[in-house]
């Protein structure tokens, strides 16, 4: 069956339908990873977005246990070629069946290189995936212009508190749309990790006397999360060590008077170089974000840049002045490099161990 990707500038791509045949409107973004398509599909940060994979062949090793959450989150999936066969001793099925199971529509057989160049030149655009060959472009374009992904943090967060047992430091993880490997990276280092829904009040978290607080990644515009931001301000004032990743990094910045803005097309992939400003060393990082902290409006008495993106100079992390808080825009749990920035979890544990009341 034919399928179409219609962009808000009127550009139309034609290909073959994969996954569900339902129609969807979403924000269209691209990911430059050469592998890890299953981790991309199951990353909650893609809620409200349809993902274009720039690597030309997707699905060759099928669906394996390498999932970052219990289900996929993108609204749609766009590839150059979907492998007709898969081969991996760990595989349990195909990407096609995976998309069908979770009712995710997609398009294969389009020129993803041209599409990606278009998104880079014009910026991220909304789009529609449809199998209706009689689509009305004039009727669709206003709908695309009006679309905004909203409520995505509460859609992806856990519904109730859960605990990963450990014999080490007690960490409270606020799930803003967390990838599973964040909790796993802490748990593997001995931490007992209690995972809280995104709308949990600061008093409830602080009432358990955690040794540290972890703020996860997540989807959407950080400025939409006004109630969460007000609770994070209370956490920041508690002096409990805090480590934040991606959306958590942005929300902590907003809670401390900084600003964020939407990027032209964002950073999504497994090969982004970031520079540690304290050492000058460059690390390869995995990233997935469309918003960034605006360091031009950052009060240097509150926080200072800790990492910078080598490609475009945007902020990749903050160190808070006089507080046990550090935050990063990239994903140290995602095994880029493949272990380049995993040391940040060890840094967090050292911060917890260094507390006077630990």
């Amino acid at each position: 069956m034919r399928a179409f990707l219609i962009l808000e500038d009127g550009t139309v791509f034609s290909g073959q339908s994969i996954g569900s045949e339902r129609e969807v409107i979403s924000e269209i973004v691209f990911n430059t990873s050469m592998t890890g398509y299953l981790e991309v599909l199951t990353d909650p940060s893609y809620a409200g977005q349809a993902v274009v994979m720039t690597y030309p062949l997707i699905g060759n090793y099928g669906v394996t246990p390498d999932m970052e959450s219990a289900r996929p989150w993108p609204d749609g999936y766009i590839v150059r070629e979907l492998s007709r066969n898969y081969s991996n001793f760990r595989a349990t099925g195909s990407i096609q069946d995976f998309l069908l199971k979770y009712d995710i529509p997609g398009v294969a057989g389009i020129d993803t290189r041209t599409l990606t160049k278009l998104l880079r030149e014009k910026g991220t655009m909304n789009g529609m995936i449809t199998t209706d060959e009689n689509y009305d472009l004039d009727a669709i374009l206003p709908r695309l212009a009006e679309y905004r992904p909203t409520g995505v943090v509460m859609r992806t967060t856990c519904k109730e508190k859960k605990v990963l047992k450990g014999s080490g430091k007690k960490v409270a993880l606020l799930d803003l749309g967390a990838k599973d490997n964040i909790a796993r990276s802490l748990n593997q280092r001995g931490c007992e990790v209690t995972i809280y829904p995104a709308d949990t009040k600061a008093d409830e978290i602080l009432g358990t006397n955690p040794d540290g607080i972890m703020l996860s990644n997540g989807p959407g515009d950080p400025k939409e999360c006004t109630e969460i931001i007000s609770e994070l301000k209370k956490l920041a004032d508690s002096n409990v060590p805090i480590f934040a990743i991606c959306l958590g990094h942005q929300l902590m910045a907003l809670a401390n008077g900084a600003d964020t803005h939407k990027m032209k097309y964002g950073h999504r992939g497994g090969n982004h170089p970031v520079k540690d400003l304290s050492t000058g060393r460059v690390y390869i990082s995995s990233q997935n974000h469309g918003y960034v902290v605006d360091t031009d409006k950052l009060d240097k008495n509150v926080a200072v840049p800790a990492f910078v993106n080598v490609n475009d100079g945007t902020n990749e992390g903050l160190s808070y002045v006089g507080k046990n808080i550090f935050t990063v825009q990239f994903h140290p749990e995602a095994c880029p490099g493949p272990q380049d920035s995993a040391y940040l979890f060890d840094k967090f544990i050292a911060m917890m161990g260094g507390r006077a009341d630990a």
Side-chain angles (χ1 to χ4, degrees):
M1 176 178 290
R2 292 184 71 195
F4 305 90
L5 171 64
I6 304 169
L7 299 180
E8 64 178 289
D9 70 345
T11 303
V12 179
F13 292 87
S14 176
Q16 295 83 46
S17 173
I18 58 175
S20 170
E21 295 176 9
R22 70 181 178 90
E23 188 173 276
V24 67
I25 293 177
S26 189
E27 186 177 62
I28 311 300
V29 300
F30 62 88
N31 185 292
T32 60
S33 299
M34 296 179 69
T35 186
Y37 56 77
L38 194 63
E39 288 90 336
V40 170
L41 277 167
T42 55
D43 181 350
S45 293
Y46 282 112
Q49 298 175 329
V51 186
V52 181
M53 300 300 294
T54 62
Y55 192 73
L57 179 64
I58 298 297
N60 56 308
Y61 54 88
V63 175
T64 64
D66 306 308
M67 295 173 61
E68 284 297 335
S69 62
R71 50 154 291 180
W73 290 102
D75 291 341
Y77 202 52
I78 302 159
V79 302
R80 177 68 183 90
E81 180 180 354
L82 190 68
S83 180
R84 289 167 291 181
N85 300 297
Y86 63 88
S87 178
N88 189 296
F89 72 98
R90 300 164 69 235
T92 58
S94 70
I95 289 293
Q96 168 71 1
D97 291 340
F98 191 65
L99 295 175
L100 281 170
K101 177 180 178 180
Y102 291 99
D103 197 29
I104 297 175
V107 187
I110 69 171
D111 187 342
T112 51
R113 179 180 175 86
T114 296
L115 173 56
T116 300
K117 290 174 68 176
L118 184 64
L119 294 174
R120 282 178 59 92
E121 291 166 5
K122 294 190 175 183
T124 297
M125 287 186 276
N126 294 333
M128 172 188 283
I129 295 174
T130 181
T131 57
D132 181 4
E133 297 193 24
N134 299 311
Y135 62 82
D136 183 344
L137 189 61
D138 291 335
I140 290 171
L141 293 182
R143 295 171 59 195
L144 298 183
E146 294 170 359
Y147 174 79
R148 297 290 183 274
T150 59
V152 284
V153 168
M154 294 313 300
R155 192 198 312 171
T156 56
T157 188
C158 61
K159 305 309 176 188
E160 56 186 24
K161 182 175 70 174
K162 49 188 175 183
V163 179
L164 299 180
K165 292 293 186 181
S167 57
K169 296 295 180 181
K170 295 196 305 178
V171 177
L173 169 58
L174 190 64
D175 177 6
L176 304 167
K179 295 168 66 178
D180 286 348
N181 206 31
I182 294 177
R184 192 159 51 237
S185 295
L186 292 166
N187 194 232
Q188 288 173 346
R189 288 166 169 80
C191 296
E192 178 171 295
V193 183
T194 303
I195 304 170
Y196 293 89
D199 58 354
T200 304
K201 300 300 182 183
D203 290 343
E204 179 180 344
I205 294 173
L206 296 173
T208 65
N209 296 313
D211 295 305
I213 298 169
M214 183 90 220
L215 308 179
S216 82
N217 65 293
D221 182 349
K223 290 181 180 178
E224 183 188 291
C225 305
T226 53
E227 294 183 7
I228 296 173
I229 291 168
S230 63
E231 295 301 316
L232 293 191
K233 179 60 177 172
K234 299 175 187 177
L235 295 179
D237 291 339
S238 71
N239 204 39
V240 176
I242 297 176
F243 178 26
I245 292 172
C246 199
L247 180 63
H249 154 77
Q250 297 165 6
L251 294 179
M252 181 56 69
L254 290 170
N256 284 276
D259 196 12
T260 59
H261 65 262
K262 189 170 185 177
M263 306 175 76
K264 184 176 182 181
Y265 50 81
H267 296 157
R268 298 175 182 87
N271 55 354
H272 290 264
V274 297
K275 185 176 183 179
D276 185 336
L277 296 177
S278 66
T279 64
R281 181 171 176 179
V282 174
Y283 298 91
I284 297 301
S285 72
S286 174
Q287 302 198 16
N288 176 13
H289 64 103
Y291 293 82
V292 67
V293 173
D294 191 343
T295 52
D296 291 338
K297 300 178 182 179
L298 184 67
D299 185 345
K300 300 302 189 291
N301 295 314
V302 174
V304 295
F307 289 87
V308 66
N309 189 288
V310 176
N311 288 336
D312 62 12
T314 54
N315 179 255
E316 293 287 356
L318 295 173
S319 178
Y320 284 77
V321 178
K323 292 187 176 182
N324 293 319
I325 303 174
F326 77 99
T327 68
V328 294
Q329 180 63 75
F330 53 94
H331 287 263
E333 87 290 343
C335 302
Q339 299 288 340
D340 273 24
S341 53
Y343 75 93
L344 294 173
F345 288 102
D346 300 319
K347 176 182 176 179
F348 179 45
I349 291 171
M351 286 171 59
M352 292 188 283
R355 289 179 62 209
D357 59 344

